[in-house]
Amino acid sequence: MAGTRTPAPTGPASQEYENHVPPPGYAPASVARWAAEPDKRPGRTAFQRDRARVLHSAALRRLAGKTQVVTPGAASPLWDASPRTRLTHSLECAQVGRELGAALGCDPDLVEAACLSHDLGHPPFGHNGEQALNEFAEDCGGFEGNAQSLRLLTRIEPKRFTPEGSVGLNLTRAALDAATKYPWPRGGHPTDPASPKFGVYEDDRPVFDWTREGAPEGRVCFEAQVMDWADDVAYSVHDVEDGLHAGHIDPNLLHAEPERQAVFAVAAGRYTDPGTDPAELAEALDRLLAQQWWPHGYDGTAVAQARLKDATSQLIGRFCLAAEGATRQRFGSGRLTRYGAELVVPRETRLECAVLKAVADRYVMQRAEQELLRADQRIVVVELAEALTARAPDGLDPQFRTLFAQAPDDRARKRVIVDQIASLTDASARSLHTRLRGQGR
């Protein structure tokens, strides 16, 4: 592991390198970096540099090999689709977040950098892989994709080094904060200590605490709230679009019982607050079905594809404009940044978004063949973790082999193995699994 890191210097050398004028609405502390460094091309803002660093990162490129919902290359009886990956989802999330953030007064490059970063810690095989890694890592702090994203941004992704070790992409304080959906450690949820969601591992606390300097405890910054809503909007809308393209969703079923009740049960169980009245969910779905642009059928023709794309655009606009209008109504027309406001999303809008998530869940993720695939994926991750534990440093990439050798104890060495597995794509995880298991025969 990288050695213990110390805060970036604050004397004249730091001032020489960090003499950036922050964008309007942001304090000088927002553009500070953990390690001071010169700007290679004067004229760019600190947040433009952040966005460029994430965009050019190997971690972002690897998301092209990680499944979103529909497996790339899966044939459809209607159309041989090229569905979204985690990379294309992140790019679309970034576009949605950039425009919504700019409309509310955020720096658009800052919000886009956060949106591009939000899934970087995503392991192979999605939440399925996340659960398997969390079980493996139970005795070294667990695994959580959001905490892994922070670790990747501040430690794993090779970009900047200090005498103490890697500082990752060395993003600004505001960019790291904006990429943090869950600003608390494991078990530290401000209202639900049993929540599995958290944003930092214990050995990443120094840079996390530096990032959160001056922030209200447990409060999510405004840019991260915009990023989180852009993520919800992008994946709820686009997962349904991909499900229709792949032939898994028949929109006519959304008018029929008991299918509607099945969708509402999924929404109530996974995507809404406990105790949500199914009647509210029915009203939310019916509001969408009543729109003239809602897709009532899909046959894969060019006309059908165009109509579906229009419906996608309409839904994104509907969800974003609702949030923009409600937020402006509460906080006024000024520039909204950092901890000066909260993103307001009307309950009706959140329920409409939840119903869309439930539709994709019910008809795409719950297919029998998907459960068989998930079972196989869990086996791959578990056996890969076992093989690497038995053979490391054999099987580790050079970057992680070095960290494994530097790790001070078994707990730290196990975290390196987790980092290695989390960095893999779906295909490279299967390839490494095959190679290591073959060596054991």
Side-chain angles (χ1 to χ4, degrees):
M1 304 295 292
T4 301
R5 293 180 289 187
T6 55
T10 56
S14 176
Q15 293 171 6
E16 175 187 353
Y17 290 152
E18 296 298 331
N19 190 25
H20 298 294
V21 177
Y26 294 88
S30 298
V31 298
R33 300 184 189 276
W34 177 267
E37 58 177 88
D39 191 344
K40 296 188 297 294
R41 196 183 76 193
R44 293 187 302 174
T45 70
F47 299 150
Q48 285 173 336
R49 296 177 72 193
D50 289 335
R51 173 187 173 276
R53 289 181 179 198
V54 178
L55 191 61
H56 289 280
S57 68
L60 185 68
R61 293 196 301 275
R62 283 196 296 270
L63 293 183
K66 300 187 181 187
T67 299
Q68 175 71 4
V69 171
V70 178
T71 303
S76 162
L78 299 177
W79 179 45
D80 189 11
S82 297
R84 288 167 172 85
T85 64
R86 284 283 161 178
L87 174 60
T88 55
H89 160 69
S90 296
L91 295 173
E92 289 168 332
C93 172
Q95 188 275 328
V96 173
R98 181 183 181 93
E99 291 196 4
L100 176 59
L104 292 167
C106 302
D107 183 274
D109 292 301
L110 174 59
V111 176
E112 185 173 357
C115 292
L116 290 171
S117 300
H118 85 281
D119 264 352
L120 291 182
H122 190 85
F125 311 130
H127 295 297
N128 200 31
E130 188 173 25
Q131 291 167 4
L133 273 181
N134 185 47
E135 293 172 8
F136 171 71
E138 178 60 33
D139 59 353
C140 69
F143 181 87
E144 213 286 335
N146 294 280
Q148 193 69 21
S149 292
L150 178 68
R151 185 176 183 82
L152 193 147
L153 290 171
T154 61
R155 184 191 293 255
I156 296 174
E157 178 71 15
K159 172 67 176 177
R160 284 286 179 266
F161 281 79
T162 70
E164 291 77 32
S166 172
V167 294
L169 294 182
N170 199 31
L171 302 183
T172 62
R173 173 182 278 117
L176 292 175
D177 201 19
T180 303
K181 282 188 186 183
Y182 308 111
W184 52 79
R186 191 184 193 193
H189 191 291
T191 59
D192 181 12
S195 172
K197 296 296 186 182
F198 61 97
V200 59
Y201 302 123
E202 279 305 314
D203 56 348
D204 294 322
R205 281 298 295 266
V207 72
F208 173 81
D209 292 341
W210 173 84
T211 297
R212 298 286 296 172
E213 237 172 61
E217 186 174 356
R219 186 173 166 192
V220 180
C221 75
F222 187 71
E223 291 82 358
Q225 294 177 48
V226 172
M227 173 268 286
D228 196 15
W229 181 239
D231 181 26
D232 276 0
V233 170
Y235 90 75
S236 65
V237 173
H238 293 139
D239 287 359
V240 170
E241 182 185 352
D242 277 356
L244 283 163
H245 275 313
H248 300 317
I249 298 174
D250 179 358
N252 292 314
L253 292 177
L254 301 180
H255 295 275
E257 301 292 352
E259 289 297 324
R260 286 167 59 91
Q261 294 306 316
V263 169
F264 302 151
V266 173
R270 293 194 61 183
Y271 302 113
T272 64
D273 296 329
T276 298
D277 188 344
E280 279 190 284
L281 294 168
E283 292 169 1
L285 177 58
D286 288 339
R287 283 194 298 272
L288 297 178
L289 295 178
Q291 302 303 313
Q292 63 178 6
W293 39 259
W294 180 262
H296 294 288
Y298 183 77
D299 61 7
T301 63
V303 171
Q305 291 181 49
R307 287 175 176 167
L308 181 56
K309 185 56 67 178
D310 180 62
T312 298
S313 299
Q314 295 280 358
L315 283 165
I316 293 172
R318 179 184 182 90
F319 292 164
C320 288
L321 287 171
E324 180 186 346
T327 303
R328 285 300 190 191
Q329 185 174 15
R330 181 177 301 182
F331 292 101
S333 59
R335 188 181 293 278
L336 307 179
T337 65
R338 303 285 280 146
Y339 295 95
E342 300 282 337
L343 186 72
V344 181
V345 181
R347 178 173 176 79
E348 294 81 3
T349 304
R350 287 199 182 275
L351 291 178
E352 290 176 6
C353 185
V355 166
L356 286 185
K357 293 178 186 177
V359 168
D361 193 321
R362 162 79 172 153
Y363 298 111
V364 181
M365 290 180 273
Q366 292 186 21
R367 289 178 295 125
E369 60 266 34
Q370 283 296 103
E371 182 50 44
L372 290 174
L373 177 61
R374 284 193 290 270
D376 177 64
Q377 291 170 344
R378 285 191 291 271
I379 291 172
V380 169
V381 174
V382 170
E383 292 186 346
L384 189 53
E386 292 172 349
L388 285 172
T389 300
R391 297 171 179 278
D394 182 36
L396 299 176
D397 292 342
Q399 172 187 1
F400 297 108
R401 195 176 303 135
T402 300
L403 294 175
F404 188 88
Q406 295 171 348
D409 52 37
D410 287 344
R411 180 186 174 96
R413 283 187 281 272
K414 191 167 192 177
R415 178 57 68 184
V416 174
I417 292 172
V418 172
D419 290 340
Q420 168 70 89
I421 297 173
S423 74
L424 299 172
T425 63
D426 295 5
S428 62
R430 288 192 178 277
S431 176
L432 182 59
H433 171 264
T434 299
R435 178 167 70 83
L436 294 181
R437 295 288 291 180
Q439 290 176 359
R441 292 191 177 93

